[in-house]
Amino acid sequence: MDTEFIQDKEIIVASNRGPVLFKKDENGKIELIRGAGGIVGSMIPFMQRTHGTWVSSAIGECDHHMDNMYQGKVPIPLEDPEYYVQFIKTEEDTYNGFNGKFANPLLWFIHHSMWNPPYSPCADDELHQAWDSYQYVNSRFADAIGEDVRTSQKTPIVMLQDYHIYLTPKLIRKQHPDVLMSQFVHIPFPPPEIFQQLPNHMQIEILESILTNDVLGFHIPRYKNNFFQTIRHILPHALVDEVVGEIVYNGHVCRVRTYPISIDAETIQNHAQDPKVIFKEKEVDEIVGDCKLIYRTDRADLSKNIIRGFQAYDMFLDKYPEWKEKVKFIATLMPSRQDIRIYREYTDNIRELVREINEKHATPDWEPIKYICRGDYDLVIALLKRYDVLMVNPILDGMNIVAKEGSVVNENNGVLILSTGAGCYEELKEGAICINPYDIRQTAESIDAALLMDETAKKELITEARAAVARNDLNRWVSDQLQDLEIVMQERQQLTGKNQEEARLGMN
């Protein structure tokens, strides 16, 4: 990271889900809990170094209470702050329309190509009302960030995160035409025929807003290319230069780049040696015993392809019965978006399938699948250290950093089974057994191949995966974005200097 560039800059990060949330413990005391998700894990180290402000939605009454207590800027940690959180407060019904009905599931489903076009989505009155809520919450983000920009004593840099706040950049740009601003999309970007499932005016407003960023980032070239093609279809007057990676629209240049997100390998490796993780390894030993360990950890999201993963395991036990009582599948899964019916049904279906597989294959001394439904990061790390096979088989995923985390902490030469739909596939494909996420038989056969692989071959795979992570670590992900913003700033300064010189010569 270029510390010289950022030393006189005010970093303002914004996302729907913040780095922390506040909840009451069993004694009624408000406690700070680290937020979940890839954005949080990726951005916190950067915020700790830059001591910036993170703008995010207030979730629950405790977030509202802390926001009022600290008058809009909550220090994190409270005692010795490394950065600050600024909460955006909205009414529950409005937030539900913004997040529960528009951003999730509509935008999420479209970006992951998950809708069923003969039946959904349907742009009815409820969807259009949810769009109103989406616009309103985005305006609240823009107002808060705009005020931070206005009052900053340094040069502000605004770094927007993800799809919840697509309309925010245009609103900020209206208030502050010269502010340095980037946006990173943490999920896949769909091809134009999928993006066009949105009503026409929503397509245009979202894309026009995104293009007011100075720098727009995606994980991999496929997502970036989808975005270029979508712009060509929906905004035909935009000047798209795919070779240079620039789009000119309404006189503004947006630089479109790829920044494959990664992990802080050193931090996670150090955490893997924490006494709390070591203690959890005893729990893992009790569950696994002498069996080989197949492991997966996910949010119970439809895009993660959890059901096909378990179906493949069921087929594996049918096709290779010699592995019965010699292998254990542990899944640590967290319920996701349970306020949305289809997600509740998906979670119920996962539980039912696990029950059926266990009933079908279990013996008096052996349970084929251990399903753990609780947030326990130390247990996750303990399991990542131990696995023989790590299953990462999403239908489509922005990146899926679990594959990277597992590769750097595993102590067992574990084999990664990786879907071609994972964003990290391009980086890790030489260090994994790669599968089609829809092909259950191929996945079942891959489990057998991974378990039978000799130590030399396993060592070669995980060494290659670790090398890929080392080539592109989390620091590079942030540094490359800042470097591109620095180039924007330098170009503006040069243009300003040139205009001033021309004006001076004209006066003479």
Side-chain angles (χ1 to χ4, degrees):
M1 187 185 302
D2 188 346
T3 54
E4 183 177 347
F5 172 63
I6 63 174
Q7 67 182 0
D8 63 343
K9 305 299 186 300
E10 178 78 23
I11 302 297
I12 304 168
V13 168
S15 63
N16 174 50
R17 182 183 295 173
V20 298
L21 65 154
F22 293 92
K23 288 188 175 181
K24 289 182 179 179
D25 63 19
E26 56 188 15
N27 298 316
K29 181 181 178 181
I30 293 179
E31 60 178 348
L32 183 153
I33 300 173
R34 174 173 162 150
I39 296 177
V40 170
S42 303
M43 293 300 295
I44 280 182
F46 174 60
M47 296 301 288
Q48 290 170 330
R49 293 174 199 159
T50 57
H51 312 295
T53 298
W54 192 320
V55 183
S56 62
S57 294
I59 309 296
E61 62 178 25
C62 291
D63 283 359
H64 287 256
H65 173 77
M66 296 301 292
D67 182 72
N68 292 334
M69 179 180 294
Y70 289 93
Q71 299 180 329
K73 292 286 181 75
V74 182
I76 309 296
L78 300 177
E79 298 79 15
D80 187 16
E82 297 170 331
Y83 60 96
Y84 295 84
V85 170
Q86 182 175 352
F87 286 119
I88 302 298
K89 297 184 289 186
T90 53
E91 295 295 327
E92 184 176 349
D93 287 347
T94 301
Y95 183 81
N96 183 52
F98 154 75
N99 189 54
K101 295 181 180 178
F102 194 85
N104 296 321
L106 179 66
L107 282 181
W108 172 273
F109 272 54
I110 285 174
H111 279 69
H112 289 82
S113 304
M114 303 266 309
W115 283 117
N116 181 13
Y119 300 99
S120 60
C122 291
D124 55 14
D125 284 344
E126 185 177 15
L127 175 62
H128 284 275
Q129 290 165 5
W131 167 254
D132 293 340
S133 297
Y134 184 80
Q135 290 178 303
Y136 175 74
V137 175
N138 271 259
S139 72
R140 293 294 307 278
F141 269 89
D143 289 344
I145 295 167
E147 183 63 15
D148 290 340
V149 169
R150 188 185 67 80
T151 58
S152 176
Q153 300 301 308
K154 300 179 179 180
T155 301
I157 295 179
V158 178
M159 303 180 75
L160 307 172
Q161 307 298 312
D162 231 355
Y163 61 99
H164 296 86
I165 48 177
Y166 273 160
L167 302 182
T168 298
K170 185 175 182 179
L171 298 171
I172 294 174
R173 186 66 71 192
K174 285 180 179 178
Q175 301 175 37
H176 304 281
D178 298 323
V179 69
L180 285 171
M181 183 163 55
S182 68
Q183 189 157 18
F184 187 83
V185 182
H186 290 260
I187 58 177
F189 200 89
E193 61 271 17
I194 301 298
F195 191 78
Q196 287 176 303
Q197 290 175 344
L198 281 169
N200 293 350
H201 69 96
M202 298 180 191
Q203 299 171 33
I204 293 170
E205 288 187 48
I206 286 172
L207 294 177
E208 286 186 338
S209 178
I210 292 173
L211 290 178
T212 62
N213 287 289
D214 295 304
V215 175
L216 177 64
F218 299 96
H219 284 301
I220 59 176
R222 184 168 76 248
Y223 308 158
K224 181 181 72 170
N225 293 337
N226 283 345
F227 181 75
F228 281 136
Q229 294 306 313
T230 299
I231 293 296
R232 289 185 184 279
H233 276 73
I234 298 173
L235 300 179
H237 298 298
L239 302 177
V240 179
D241 189 330
E242 296 182 39
V243 176
V244 176
E246 292 183 351
I247 299 174
V248 181
Y249 188 71
N250 289 339
H252 180 80
V253 180
C254 178
R255 294 146 184 88
V256 185
R257 302 288 187 265
T258 56
Y259 311 104
I261 203 168
S262 194
I263 61 173
D264 186 338
E266 182 179 356
T267 296
I268 192 172
Q269 287 168 340
N270 289 338
H271 185 75
Q273 304 308 316
D274 188 285
K276 292 180 290 186
V277 174
I278 304 299
F279 179 77
K280 291 293 182 179
E281 289 182 46
K282 298 177 183 177
E283 181 179 344
V284 174
D285 289 339
E286 291 175 0
I287 298 172
V288 178
D290 295 330
C291 291
K292 296 284 189 179
L293 172 60
I294 303 170
Y295 179 52
R296 77 174 303 143
T297 181
D298 287 297
R299 287 181 298 105
D301 195 287
L302 283 74
S303 65
K304 301 298 185 181
N305 209 23
I306 295 165
I307 285 178
R308 287 193 184 91
F310 284 139
Q311 288 172 334
Y313 180 61
D314 181 29
M315 181 179 290
F316 159 78
L317 294 175
D318 284 334
K319 289 173 70 71
Y320 309 101
E322 64 272 18
W323 283 111
K324 289 188 176 184
E325 298 186 310
K326 296 179 182 178
V327 65
K328 186 85 170 184
F329 195 146
I330 298 181
T332 52
L333 304 176
M334 283 297 295
S336 178
R337 300 167 182 157
Q338 293 300 288
D339 56 324
I340 300 172
R341 180 178 56 82
I342 193 170
Y343 280 87
R344 293 195 302 272
E345 292 175 349
Y346 190 69
T347 303
D348 291 341
N349 291 338
I350 291 170
R351 291 194 182 99
E352 179 62 20
L353 179 59
V354 168
R355 185 190 63 78
E356 291 174 359
I357 293 172
N358 280 337
E359 286 185 355
K360 176 180 177 182
H361 296 287
T363 65
D365 299 317
W366 176 67
E367 182 184 45
I369 301 174
K370 178 69 174 178
Y371 179 99
I372 299 172
C373 186
R374 71 173 189 267
D376 191 336
Y377 185 63
D378 294 330
L379 177 61
V380 168
I381 298 299
L383 286 158
L384 289 175
K385 291 173 69 175
R386 170 71 181 272
Y387 70 79
D388 295 281
V389 177
L390 178 64
M391 184 177 290
V392 180
N393 69 318
I395 297 170
L396 194 63
D397 215 339
M399 176 54 63
N400 204 308
I401 61 173
V402 167
K404 298 185 177 186
E405 292 172 332
S407 296
V408 302
V409 302
N410 185 262
E411 298 176 353
N412 204 27
N413 286 339
V415 179
L416 171 63
I417 293 179
L418 182 65
S419 160
T420 56
C424 61
Y425 163 75
E426 292 297 333
E427 291 179 90
L428 300 186
K429 61 185 177 183
E430 300 302 326
I433 295 177
C434 299
I435 59 166
N436 180 322
Y438 299 97
D439 194 333
I440 294 172
R441 187 173 75 172
Q442 182 192 33
T443 306
E445 293 170 347
S446 296
I447 294 172
D448 181 62
L451 292 171
L452 291 174
M453 191 175 292
D454 65 66
E455 290 301 316
T456 300
K458 291 197 296 183
K459 180 69 173 177
E460 289 175 355
L461 283 181
I462 200 166
T463 298
E464 179 57 42
R466 287 170 177 165
V469 174
R471 286 192 295 269
N472 183 48
D473 64 6
L474 183 59
N475 183 63
R476 179 177 175 183
W477 178 72
V478 175
S479 297
D480 285 354
Q481 293 178 68
L482 291 174
Q483 184 177 36
D484 284 331
L485 284 167
E486 184 177 13
I487 291 171
V488 173
M489 186 182 73
Q490 291 171 347
E491 289 176 351
R492 285 184 184 171
Q493 290 172 342
Q494 291 170 0
L495 181 61
T496 300
K498 179 181 178 181
N499 291 340
Q500 289 175 344
E501 179 64 15
E502 290 177 349
R504 185 184 66 80
L505 292 174
M507 291 178 64
N508 293 333

